[in-house]
């Protein structure tokens, strides 16, 4: 039987070359000839970590967003020899990740249905298929089929089947570097689970055969590098090289000035994209390197996954440890016009590249990795051909070992800085410049036209130290200074317009005076290729005629005084590179202030918990007092109890959820104190609810007691008189609050926030209705327990006392960081912090005197009523 199978598969194998790919994939699945996996072609040989795909409608969108392109991966699980030589049985899983198109189609293949009145959005999802099949070594063809799982719009798992075909060669070279193929649905087109064919392409990662390293050495040998470069720190490391080449590289085409105009030199390479990405880099242990380079006009791309850009190169070469350079030769990648992800082919191999890693940073060179690219076919006999330099644009706060910074504009900036900073010590203490967190700040930019946008300023170095190393060093580290000034370098970025992707990127360096907080910088920016800058006769890629002047606030200053300054051009207005000056303002706090704010927030959370706990206790004591003395129930002002109930109900129903959400959105890291806020948020919710229920219970029993006693109908008359006095007062106060809000249009509070603060003021005077009610009824008796009205008085007074202390000892980042004594819950200022406690204490004393001597006892004799109502305990015999 085995011999028959061998003969059968031998006959099949002999006819493989005559069959098309489609007929070959229809062959019976071969059985493995051994129980042990293949050693010559193990499963990881067939693994594809990252590839790109297109098609697959309606599973995936035909136009995915550039920020999230469609990608796939293939994980081979097993590989076995079969009885047919060159034929291997495989199993594996292919996973496709992409965006689903928005649609109202109710097909089971769609992961969601569009809801009415909501905008359409792409949804990201993954589809996987578990496949089995074979790989033919002579034909470099991989065929597999199997089931997959697709989620329906209701989240149900729908099973489908697919056929995978890949052109998979056992070796890849510079001229054949890609794996291409398709994934097709096994269902009929009329089946609702059917999807269009998916075109697959990836960069071959395994068994690469280097064929052009000698050529790479020859084209790179005559390249002259003026700057000092650093090595990889010992033995060759592919991981370290991959990290240094990560991110985008900006190509500097240079400028050719003729006839009064300077145009970028963009024809030297045959393409004119601005950015390059090193994609799918792989190495051998002896320092040989091959990778896929993508050229695009987008500065941000998902470089970790396989990309298809506007242009591509396949390169290979080696790391030269003697010159500390990476020398490469490249081939042009040509994509078919019909579908760029379906057919990729190699054209002329005429490109040369070199990468190296500078050991010195400067204002014009701040790239971790730089290099040159040229097209070899343009080389003449004299060796003259155009080289295009490039450098990384990614964050350079990593990989800073053995780096130095060379200041070249310090002497220039001193002349400008002397006009704005006279070296005198400013008021207060200023940052010493050592802390990256204190010297880095976000800012708001205001142009001459009044347009506002945002930006960020990040320090790079202070003296000869990079901030990445300075933050780890001892605070006692000595810094080189000249007459008290410190050399410092920055990277400044801000948007040119609100919501615009265009940014102003400035490399700056200068001096900082830690005695006065003055920061003076000369900046350089890369000159683009717009029509405006083409008119400038500048044969350089950088404009270094920019002056940045900033004044840092003191360590204990207000947030509004954190940073102020200007960015202006030093050129004449007639110069095409001139731009109007912009003003910089930054509202922020230093790290020490942030730490104090964190501690303050924890304290305020504790104070809120204590206040709510004692409020519940005081309410419980009042209910216990009325249980022992039920005859006092009708003599409690209903209006006072309604005010107390509403004071807890409104935050509970309307504001409580928004309270914490608003604070989180504005506070970022300040609000996340080790999970402390999240835990106490639940406790605060519970205590607020208990407080509300106790007050509601107190209102219910007081209302029921007054309504049940017919003899106490006169009490409702006095209650109405109390309402007629208090209600106009409350409405008049609300009118004043609205009037102040209308006049103060520059205020940051909304009308609702101002009215909410005024409601807190009404709650402060919760005893006012009881005092007025006692005057009308002239009650003499202990209707309110001392613990109740004195305790509530202290609960309302303490926030104002604390606010008076807080305003003098803490600098607020934003007032929404206030948890206790929040401006959204009451009116707080120095005057109100004196007036409110005084008024609340007067009301509390008035209640005490009324309950002891009668409702009108504290009034002048001519205003007192002739009689009083005194509660007398009934004897048991009665």
């Amino acid at each position: 039987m085995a011999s028959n199978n061998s003969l059968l598969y031998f006959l099949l194998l002999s006819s493989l070359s005559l069959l098309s790919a489609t007929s070959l994939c229809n062959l019976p699945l071969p059985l493995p000839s051994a129980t042990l996996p293949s050693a010559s072609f193990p499963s990881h040989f067939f693994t594809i970590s990252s590839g790109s795909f297109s098609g697959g409608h309606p599973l995936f969108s035909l136009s995915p967003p550039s920020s999230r392109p469609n990608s796939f991966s293939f994980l081979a699980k097993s590989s076995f020899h079969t009885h047919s030589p060159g034929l291997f049985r495989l199993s594996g899983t292919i996973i496709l990740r992409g965006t689903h198109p928005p649609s109202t189609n109710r097909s089971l293949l769609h992961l969601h249905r569009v809801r009415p009145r909501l905008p359409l959005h792409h949804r990201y999802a993954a589809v996987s298929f578990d496949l089995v099949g074979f790989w033919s070594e002579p034909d470099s063809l991989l065929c597999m089929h199997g089931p997959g799982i697709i989620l329906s719009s209701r989240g149900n798992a729908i099973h489908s089947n697919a056929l995978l075909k890949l052109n998979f060669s056992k070796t890849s070279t510079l001229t054949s570097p890609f794996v291409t193929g398709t994934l097709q649905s096994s269902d009929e087109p009329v089946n609702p689970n059917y999807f269009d064919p998916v075109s697959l392409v990836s960069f071959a990662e395994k068994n690469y055969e280097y064929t052009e390293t000698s050529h790479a050495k020859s084209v790179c040998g005559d390249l002259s590098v003026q700057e000092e470069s650093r090595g990889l720190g010992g033995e060759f490391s592919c991981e370290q090289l991959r990290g240094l080449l990560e991110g985008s590289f900006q190509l500097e085409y240079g400028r050719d000035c003729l006839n009064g105009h300077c145009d970028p030199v963009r024809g030297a390479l045959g393409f004119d994209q601005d950015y390059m990405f090193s994609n799918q880099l792989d190495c051998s242990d002896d320092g040989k390197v091959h990778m896929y380079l993508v050229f695009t006009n987008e500065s941000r791309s998902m470089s970790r996954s396989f990309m298809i850009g506007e242009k591509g190169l396949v390169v290979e070469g080696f790391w030269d440890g003697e010159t500390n350079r990476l020398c490469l030769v490249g081939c042009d990648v040509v994509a078919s016009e019909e579908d760029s992800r379906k057919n990729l082919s190699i054209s002329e191999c005429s490109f040369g590249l070199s990468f190296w890693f500078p050991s010195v940073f400067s204002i014009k060179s701040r790239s971790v990795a730089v290099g040159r690219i040229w097209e070899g076919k343009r080389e003449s006999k004299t060796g003259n051909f155009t080289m295009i330099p490039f450098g990384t644009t990614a964050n350079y706060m990593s990989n800073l070992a053995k780096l130095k910074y060379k200041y070249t504009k310090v002497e220039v900036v001193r002349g400008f800085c002397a006009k704005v900073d006279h070296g005198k010590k400013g008021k207060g203490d200023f940052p010493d410049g050592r802390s990256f967190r204190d010297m880095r700040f976000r800012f708001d930019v205001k142009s001459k036209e009044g347009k506002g946008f945002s930006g960020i300023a990040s320090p790079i170095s202070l003296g000869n130290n990079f901030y990445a190393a300075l933050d780890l060093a001892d605070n006692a580290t000595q810094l080189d200074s000249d007459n008290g000034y410190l050399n410092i370098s920055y990277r400044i970025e801000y948007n040119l317009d609100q919501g615009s992707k265009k940014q102003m990127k400035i490399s700056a360096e200068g001096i900082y005076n830690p005695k006065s907080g003055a920061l003076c910088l000369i900046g350089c920016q890369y000159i683009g290729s717009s029509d405006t800058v083409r008119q400038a006769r500048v044969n350089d890629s950088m404009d270094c005629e920019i002056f940045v002047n900033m004044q840092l606030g003191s360590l204990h200053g207000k947030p509004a005084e954190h940073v102020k300054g200007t960015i202006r051009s030093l050129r004449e207005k007639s110069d095409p590179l001139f731009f109007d000056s912009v003003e910089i303002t930054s509202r922020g706090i230093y790290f020490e202030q942030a730490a104090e704010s964190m501690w303050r927030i924890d304290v305020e959370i504790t104070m809120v918990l204590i206040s709510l706990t004692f409020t519940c206790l005081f309410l419980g004591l009042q209910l216990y007092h009325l249980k022992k003395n039920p005859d006092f129930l009708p003599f409690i002002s209903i209006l006072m109890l309604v005010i107390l109930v509403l004071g807890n109900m409104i935050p509970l129903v309307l504001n409580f959820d928004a309270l914490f959400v608003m604070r989180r959105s504005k506070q970022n890291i300040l609000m996340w104190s080790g999970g402390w806020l999240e835990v106490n948020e639940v406790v605060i919710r519970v205590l607020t609810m208990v407080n509300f229920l106790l007050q509601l219970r107190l209102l219910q029993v007081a209302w029921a007691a007054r309504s049940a006693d017919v003899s106490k109908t006169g009490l409702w008359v006095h209650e109405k008189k109390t309402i007629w006095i208090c209600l106009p007062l409350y409405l008049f106060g609300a009118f004043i609050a609205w009037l102040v809000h209308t006049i103060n249009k520059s205020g940051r509070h909304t009308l609702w926030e101002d009215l909410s603060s005024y409601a807190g003021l009404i709650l402060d005077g919760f005893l006012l209705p009881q005092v007025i009610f006692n005057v009308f009824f002239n009650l003499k008796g202990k209707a309110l327990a001392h613990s109740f009205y004195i305790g509530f008085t202290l609960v309302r007074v303490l926030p104002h006392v604390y606010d008076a202390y807080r305003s003098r000892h803490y600098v607020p980042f934003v007032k929404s960081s206030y948890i206790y004594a929040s401006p959204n819950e009451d009116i707080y200022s120095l005057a109100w912090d004196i007036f409110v406690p005084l008024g609340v204490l007067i009301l509390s004393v008035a209640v005490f005197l009324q309950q002891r001597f009668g409702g009108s006892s504290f009034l002048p004799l001519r205003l007192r009523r002739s009689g009083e109502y005194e509660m007398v305990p009934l004897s048991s015999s009665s």
Side-chain angles (χ1 to χ4, degrees), residues 43 232 234 374 474 506-507 594 627 633 689 698 707 724 828:
S43 59
L232 297 179
W374 64 94
D474 188 356
I506 299 175
S507 300
K627 184 178 180 180
L633 274 172
M689 179 61 72
L698 182 59
S707 301
W724 279 111
Y828 293 99

Side-chain angles (χ1 to χ4, degrees), residues 66-67 69 247-248 277 294 296-305 307:
S66 59
S67 60
S248 62
F277 290 86
V294 178
T296 177
N297 287 320
E298 294 290 335
S299 61
R300 297 179 181 180
S301 296
M302 298 179 64
S303 59
R304 290 186 178 273
S305 60
M307 298 186 301

Side-chain angles (χ1 to χ4, degrees), residues 42-51 72-79 90-97 128-132 142 144 164 166 168 205-206:
S43 59
H44 64 79
F45 170 79
F46 302 96
T47 295
I48 300 174
S49 61
S50 179
F72 80 93
S73 61
F74 176 72
L75 175 63
K77 298 179 180 179
S78 65
S79 172
L90 304 177
S91 67
T93 300
I94 186 171
I95 302 176
L96 288 81
R97 302 175 179 86
S128 64
F129 292 89
D130 293 326
L131 308 172
V132 292
L142 183 148
M144 304 180 73
L164 174 66
L166 291 178
F168 204 107
E205 303 175 24
K206 307 298 180 183

